[in-house]
Amino acid sequence: MKYPKVSILIINYNGGDKVIRCLNSVMKLDYPSYEIIVIDNGSSDGSQEKIKKEFSQIKLVENKENLGSVGAHNQGFKLAKGDFILGLDDDAVASPSLLKNLVKVALSNNKIGIVVPKIYYYSKPNIFNSTGFFLNPITGKMKDLGIGKEDKGQLDFQREIDYVPSSIILIKKEALKTAGGMNEDYFVYYEDSDWCLRVRNAGYKIVYTPNTKAWHDCKTQGELSPFRVYHYTRGKTLFMKQSSTPLNKFLFILFHIFLYSPARIFSFILKGKFNLIKPYIQGTKEGLSSKRK
């Protein structure tokens, strides 16, 4: 097997001990040729000092402010010297075989641009966190065939998929150059969906492989916050506006404004989450009014 150079890109924001755990797992990768780049997005928890102390051999970029997932990824893409880029969130954990098996799949077909492994919840090591998404063109919701389910071998087959999370992802540098970096209309949420769509539109395939695994230390159901509600709502409406056919865009807007939004706002009221109503409305308005850069 060939071992082309891989740039491992880790985006850190207040990762604390989790980013150290992520880096420790990277150091155990069974792969001979890689560089490590960490983009710190203005952390305030001392992550940068921990990284410099324990991993002096890596390239650490310290941003003075949080550039978001998009800004940090694009920053790292420009620095990457490898033929492939392995993107990891700061709370990801790689298995030793992760990189070797992802690269092997990517090399098997010139048209494969992105490869993802089985991704499990770190807190529930045999429960799927993601195996790739398919989009409902009317609601804008992403459907993952595996999320929340126990791995019983039901997804032990390689398949082409439409969308993947950027938390653990291998992309071919050639595909990145053709499709471009992440769309800076986004800050976080749906930025990876927009990116995947452009990779596919550039003629590349996105593939899920069951032959290797990784873990993501995220919550199964995260607590809603004004920040999350605003950016998720804005990202979804912006993505559907920019990527849909005219008919699907029209149907999505009807669904979102007249069915989904009233139900969503009513649920906030019932739960006493009045502080989420304004960011939800603002996210919807800005997502629908934003223009592609």
Side-chain angles (χ1 to χ4, degrees):
M1 175 181 168
K2 295 180 180 178
Y3 294 101
K5 185 173 182 178
V6 177
S7 298
I8 299 175
L9 174 60
I10 300 171
I11 309 301
N12 179 60
Y13 179 66
N14 291 333
D17 292 336
K18 291 182 180 181
V19 70
I20 300 302
R21 182 181 62 200
C22 175
L23 284 163
N24 279 325
S25 74
V26 166
M27 294 299 177
K28 297 175 183 177
L29 287 170
D30 181 19
Y31 196 86
S33 179
Y34 62 84
E35 63 174 351
I36 304 173
I37 302 168
V38 176
I39 306 294
D40 183 83
N41 246 344
S43 293
S44 58
D45 67 343
S47 297
Q48 311 94 317
E49 296 306 317
K50 287 184 178 180
I51 293 170
K52 284 188 279 190
K53 181 179 179 180
E54 298 191 33
F55 303 96
S56 58
Q57 71 273 43
I58 72 170
K59 182 175 182 61
L60 173 65
V61 177
E62 299 180 65
N63 292 328
K64 293 182 179 180
E65 60 182 359
N66 187 351
L67 302 181
S69 172
V70 174
H73 273 97
N74 286 342
Q75 195 175 14
F77 293 156
K78 292 176 182 177
L79 296 172
K81 298 177 181 178
D83 298 308
F84 292 88
I85 297 171
L86 175 67
L88 298 173
D89 279 1
D90 54 15
D91 54 0
V93 177
S95 63
S97 67
L98 177 70
L99 190 49
K100 179 188 288 186
N101 287 337
L102 291 180
V103 170
K104 184 177 180 180
V105 173
L107 290 174
S108 69
N109 187 321
N110 289 335
K111 283 302 180 182
I112 294 178
I114 290 176
V115 189
V116 293
K118 285 182 174 180
I119 303 175
Y120 302 98
Y121 287 107
Y122 183 79
S123 60
K124 299 178 179 180
N126 202 43
I127 303 297
F128 287 119
N129 169 242
S130 180
T131 58
F133 309 129
F134 296 95
L135 174 71
N136 184 316
I138 306 302
T139 67
K141 187 173 182 179
M142 294 289 179
K143 173 67 175 177
D144 190 307
L145 297 180
I147 188 169
K149 298 177 182 177
E150 183 180 0
D151 183 4
K152 297 181 178 180
Q154 71 272 39
L155 294 174
D156 281 354
F157 55 94
Q158 184 169 302
R159 72 185 194 279
E160 190 174 341
I161 48 181
D162 290 342
Y163 302 95
V164 294
S166 59
S167 54
I168 302 162
I169 184 173
L170 182 79
I171 183 165
K172 194 175 290 182
K173 189 71 167 291
E174 176 188 309
L176 174 63
K177 288 180 178 179
T178 304
M182 289 189 173
N183 183 352
E184 296 195 2
D185 287 346
Y186 298 82
F187 184 79
V188 67
Y189 295 120
Y190 277 81
E191 80 286 359
D192 40 16
S193 300
D194 175 88
W195 192 39
C196 286
L197 179 61
R198 286 187 289 111
V199 169
R200 288 192 290 113
N201 286 343
Y204 290 92
K205 298 178 180 180
I206 301 173
V207 172
Y208 154 84
T209 177
N211 296 331
T212 191
K213 61 182 70 174
W215 295 266
H216 192 196
D217 194 1
C218 59
K219 296 179 180 178
T220 53
Q221 288 186 334
E223 179 68 24
L224 291 180
S225 66
F227 176 91
R228 182 179 178 186
V229 167
Y230 165 74
H231 282 289
Y232 180 85
T233 306
R234 182 185 181 278
K236 181 171 76 170
T237 53
L238 176 61
F239 175 72
M240 294 302 292
K241 176 191 172 186
Q242 292 185 343
S243 65
S244 299
T245 64
L247 176 59
N248 283 344
K249 186 189 304 182
F250 174 72
L251 293 175
F252 168 75
I253 291 173
L254 286 180
F255 168 81
H256 187 81
I257 293 177
F258 295 107
L259 291 176
Y260 183 78
S261 290
R264 190 69 166 151
I265 292 171
F266 186 60
S267 73
F268 292 153
I269 294 172
L270 286 180
K271 296 174 183 177
K273 302 284 187 178
F274 300 102
N275 63 324
L276 301 182
I277 296 174
K278 184 177 179 180
Y280 177 83
I281 294 173
Q282 185 180 0
T284 295
K285 289 174 62 177
E286 292 189 14
L288 292 175
S289 62
S290 295
K291 296 180 180 179
R292 184 181 291 276
K293 292 181 180 178

